[in-house]
Amino acid sequence: MLSRRLEAQMALINQQDAAAATINGSKPLPSAKSPIGPGEGDDDGNKQRERAIIKAALSIAEIVALIDADTQTPQTSTSDNDGHPDQAFISLSSLSVISDHLPIVQGAKDRIMNEMEAMMVTGIQELDQSLLSSALLTAHNLRVLPEVVQNLINDLVEVVEVRIKTTFDMAALGRDKSIQEITSTTSSSSSNLLYKSRVRTEPTNLTAPQWTAALWTKLEAMITEISGDCIKVYTLEKVLNLQKDTMNGRSFLDEAMTLLENKPSSTFWAALARTLERSCRDGSKTSAFLLQTLTSQYPRLLRLFQDFFSRISVHTDTLYTQAYQSPETVLTLRSVSIFESAYLQRSTTRLNELVSSSFAASPTAYFGT
């Protein structure tokens, strides 16, 4: 009965795909939404397809649970009072009526897993909470929700970490195509071998403006990307908290926390601050250009992070104002404190020098003679 129900559910999914293929003139790839086109009827078709996927996932989980329970049962025979052996235990999977359907069930499971992953990717990219909710419910029915959420969080965090490391990597900046073109043009007109050996990791007086512009371009792109990933993490956490198991009332977030060490948002902020701090520290040690640029122009760097906080404030409780700073903003800004400290020290030194020079230039103006 479970197998027939699963076949009917898979047939409904195939029917929706066939309808989409007829309208588009080609066979659609596995995707989260049926590409029929805009319209209220299309939304209804997508919803029906999502519901069929969710129900098919539940049917698959029930079948797999029966098979697993059967294989875990000790296959031992017993004897009656007369010493005659009772009928031996017979595994369900050994019955032809059952074994004939196992490849179909496995194929359906693979198909539903692919559909769930496609819905998850599309939902998180488009911040579609409805579609993301369907994907998470499918994962819950398949009994793989914690693993799916963990993998998704790891992927989002990895993207942020790679972007930050690349941004503060001056060797990577030197490999930028525009920088290489400027470097090759300048070095071709110079016979200074020392200059030629330094251009790949540090700019010279001739190339410093281009390096500075390229660095700020990468920093702005980094802020844009981590803003988007932060919003994705908070959208995922919000949907996880709203969705609940109908049997016990436990939220999907609590279910995911059986495998996660921290909430998705906490994991994101910890990874962001850790990677920023390490990249800033290591970059400052290996590149005098990076340290000098971000120290002398620290207010501009601070404005970039203010823009970051303003972008995500609509989706999070993260605030950065003169009167209040959330724990997340404090944690993030501390990760770039190496530039703030150098900037303050440099500003203080310049102020002291200015005051000293003013007194030395006109002592009679203050004390008289």
Side-chain angles (χ1 to χ4, degrees), residues 240-275:
L240 283 170
N241 200 36
L242 290 175
Q243 282 280 28
K244 299 185 183 299
D245 190 327
T246 56
M247 299 296 295
N248 53 32
R250 186 174 66 164
S251 70
F252 283 8
L253 180 59
D254 291 338
E255 181 178 344
M257 290 301 296
T258 59
L259 185 61
L260 301 177
E261 295 181 359
N262 296 296
K263 293 196 303 181
S265 57
S266 300
T267 301
F268 172 84
W269 286 112
L272 173 64
R274 181 178 62 251
T275 309

Side-chain angles (χ1 to χ4, degrees), residues 297-308:
Q297 303 184 48
Y298 177 74
R300 182 176 178 181
L301 178 65
L302 184 59
R303 286 194 296 271
L304 280 181
F305 280 100
Q306 290 173 339
D307 179 54
F308 164 60

